[in-house]
Amino acid sequence: MVPEETRTPTRPPEIRPSTGSTAPATPLSRAWTTRLVVAGIVLAALNLRPAITSLGALLEEVRGGLGMSGSVAGLLTSVPPLCFAVFGVTAPRLARRFGPAAVVCAGMVAITAGLAVRPYIGGTAGFLAASALALMGIAVSNVLMPVIVKRWFPDRVGSMTGLYSMALALGTSVAAAATVPMTDALGGDWHAGLVVWAGLAAAAVLPWILLVRARGTGPDTGDRAPATTPDPEPRPAQSAAGTTTVTGDAAPAPALAPEPTTGTATTSPLHGAKPLGTPVTRPAPGVLRITRSRTAWALAVFFGLQATAAYITMGWMAQIFRDAGVAASTAGLLLAVTMVMGVPLAFVIPRLATRLPRQGPIVVVLGLCGLAGYAGLYLAPAAGAWAWALLLGISNCAFPLALTMVGMRARTGAGVVQLSAFAQSTGYLISIPGPLLVGVLYQHSGGWGLPLALMAGLMVPQIAVGILAGRDRTVEDEAAA
């Protein structure tokens, strides 16, 4: 009886209200904070790709200015997934220590600094180092965006992921389309054409600073939803297995850690499985063995293969068109068309995916579009350029689909944190060799036949693992089993 007595009163004052009690005190404050989170998500998403696509549009000028070979340029296009893999894995630990909002704020600062200095730092090594600084900020924000969406909008994961993905696609396409014209307007200096994107990144810092100042006084409160309940996604009914530790990356309450949530036998060491049922997946959030989940591995490989295709496209597609005789400005516009396809589709696909029990059919459609686009680039790159750009743009929407599946394949907030970090970090490791290998094949073969064959070949396993990742499973159940 005593432990039950102590358990009951500990829940209302559970530390969390003390950290967030100032914000939800009035509905106005809560609404204002929610709008600020939405603005922060959109502005952050706008800055997650211009560092890459602005460089892709000016890759030939940068190569000439820095004296890069094709292989070194391939290495440059492999830096984004490398940084995403290396730095992305640190995001959950940083979020637990400082709060997700503080980490995303620091990420936006890093993007601003990296983009501001990389055109002028001098030499290939300095350019790579400054790019890595910006990409470090992108990496941690990449991992934490699904976490913030799940935590603040647990009942609107599909629509908010769509909004975030639309903003990401918009930033990607605008950078691809506008970089060359802006460079020409600034006197044809590629340094100036690249540095202007630091201004957009600086604008994204402001809402996250306000969120940290308004919400965060501890390592867990940076972006906690301003709800009257202690947890921002209170879904105990989703699992019969006690999911009160939903937001476990913020787990202060050791008294509640064992957490079979209800039942009179909760204090008995012999309680085990009987009153609450055997599938109690109650390891603390940090103890979830994500590598035991086949779905987690399938999602990580799917993420890696779609990232390979995306970074090859962002880094090399404009060059493919230029080598086929297309003007530089038109090639940049074609790359923008590919990227802008993600604006409407990134809103539609997540919403559709959340309404389907399995996402395999969407994976197949996107993969077939990619195969058709690569075949067109090989057979008639200039004649059908607009059609191939559209098809590859549709295929690249595997990215918002992967983000949506991260939110769907985990049942708890802590599970989303771990699955997002695992899938993205592992996936980006898988994607590292792709852009580099394309550069090597391009330089040594003297054409685009072999690189395009590689891209098309990788689309087949992407479809296969995407079907596996799209099954109606959760990583918590698989890891427990």
Side-chain angles (χ1 to χ4, degrees):
M1 287 299 296
V2 175
E4 268 194 52
E5 293 289 323
T6 55
R7 178 180 291 276
T8 305
T10 52
R11 296 191 74 85
E14 203 183 9
I15 295 178
R16 294 206 175 100
S18 66
T19 59
S21 58
T22 56
T26 66
L28 180 61
S29 173
R30 175 179 175 179
W32 178 85
T33 309
T34 303
R35 286 194 292 268
L36 194 59
V37 173
V38 173
I41 289 173
V42 170
L43 284 171
L46 285 172
N47 283 280
L48 295 183
R49 294 298 180 270
I52 303 166
T53 52
S54 62
L55 176 61
L58 293 175
L59 184 59
E60 186 170 306
E61 287 76 10
V62 174
R63 285 176 59 191
L66 298 178
M68 292 182 184
S69 66
S71 299
V72 175
L75 175 62
L76 182 60
T77 56
S78 291
V79 169
L82 174 62
C83 290
F84 294 167
V86 171
F87 298 117
V89 76
T90 66
R93 181 178 300 178
L94 292 172
R96 284 193 295 269
R97 181 173 179 82
F98 301 106
V103 177
V104 173
C105 181
M108 294 300 109
V109 172
I111 295 171
T112 304
L115 294 182
V117 303
R118 80 171 176 178
Y120 302 106
I121 199 169
T124 301
F127 191 92
L128 286 171
S131 297
L133 175 61
L135 293 166
M136 175 179 66
I138 296 173
V140 294
S141 302
N142 267 337
V143 172
L144 293 179
M145 281 296 108
V147 177
I148 290 172
V149 167
K150 178 82 171 182
R151 180 173 290 177
W152 277 87
F153 308 99
D155 298 322
R156 289 181 285 163
V157 171
S159 58
M160 288 305 300
T161 301
L163 178 64
Y164 154 68
S165 301
M166 284 177 61
L168 189 149
L170 182 62
T172 304
S173 57
V174 168
T179 297
V180 172
M182 283 196 303
T183 302
D184 294 339
L186 294 170
D189 183 8
W190 63 266
H191 302 82
L194 291 181
V195 78
V196 294
W197 298 106
L200 181 62
V205 176
L206 180 60
W208 293 102
I209 289 178
L210 296 175
L211 280 169
V212 172
R213 289 175 61 88
R215 306 281 315 150
T217 56
D220 173 53
T221 58
D223 72 338
R224 186 161 295 282
T228 55
T229 55
D231 282 315
E233 47 167 327
R235 298 187 173 207
Q238 277 188 319
S239 167
T243 54
T244 346
T245 53
V246 167
T247 55
D249 58 343
L256 300 177
E259 198 99 59
T261 59
T262 59
T264 56
T266 54
T267 59
S268 169
L270 302 177
H271 170 69
K274 295 251 178 190
L276 293 177
T278 45
V280 176
T281 57
R282 18 171 225 273
V287 182
L288 175 63
R289 297 179 181 179
I290 197 79
T291 55
R292 289 187 175 184
S293 168
R294 293 182 180 181
T295 297
W297 279 107
L299 188 53
V301 176
F302 177 71
F303 198 98
L305 292 174
Q306 68 80 27
T308 300
Y311 289 109
I312 289 173
T313 300
M314 286 187 280
W316 289 106
M317 198 178 85
Q319 191 65 48
I320 292 174
F321 285 126
R322 293 178 73 168
D323 287 350
V326 177
S329 58
T330 305
L333 188 58
L334 286 165
L335 177 59
V337 167
T338 299
M339 299 296 111
V340 83
M341 287 302 296
V343 175
L345 292 180
F347 188 71
V348 173
I349 288 176
R351 293 171 67 88
L352 177 62
T354 55
R355 286 166 169 75
L356 295 176
R358 297 170 179 262
Q359 289 73 49
I362 304 177
V363 171
V364 173
V365 171
L366 298 181
L368 291 177
C369 288
L371 288 171
Y374 292 134
L377 283 177
Y378 177 76
L379 295 172
W386 296 99
W388 318 140
L390 288 171
L391 286 169
L392 291 175
I394 296 171
S395 179
N396 278 350
C397 288
F399 174 71
L401 177 62
L403 289 182
T404 305
M405 288 196 289
V406 167
M408 297 178 68
R409 297 288 89 88
R411 189 172 55 245
T412 66
V416 174
V417 173
Q418 290 185 260
L419 180 58
S420 180
F422 175 75
Q424 294 200 45
S425 296
T426 305
Y428 284 128
L429 279 174
I430 293 171
S431 69
I432 290 170
L436 175 60
L437 187 55
V438 165
V440 172
L441 291 174
Y442 170 59
Q443 179 174 346
H444 290 283
S445 68
W448 288 105
L450 286 177
L452 287 170
L454 172 66
M455 298 178 214
L458 291 176
M459 194 60 63
V460 177
Q462 177 179 321
I463 294 172
V465 295
I467 292 172
L468 294 177
R471 296 176 299 172
D472 189 11
R473 312 284 177 87
T474 63
V475 293
E476 289 91 347
D477 292 341
E478 290 187 341

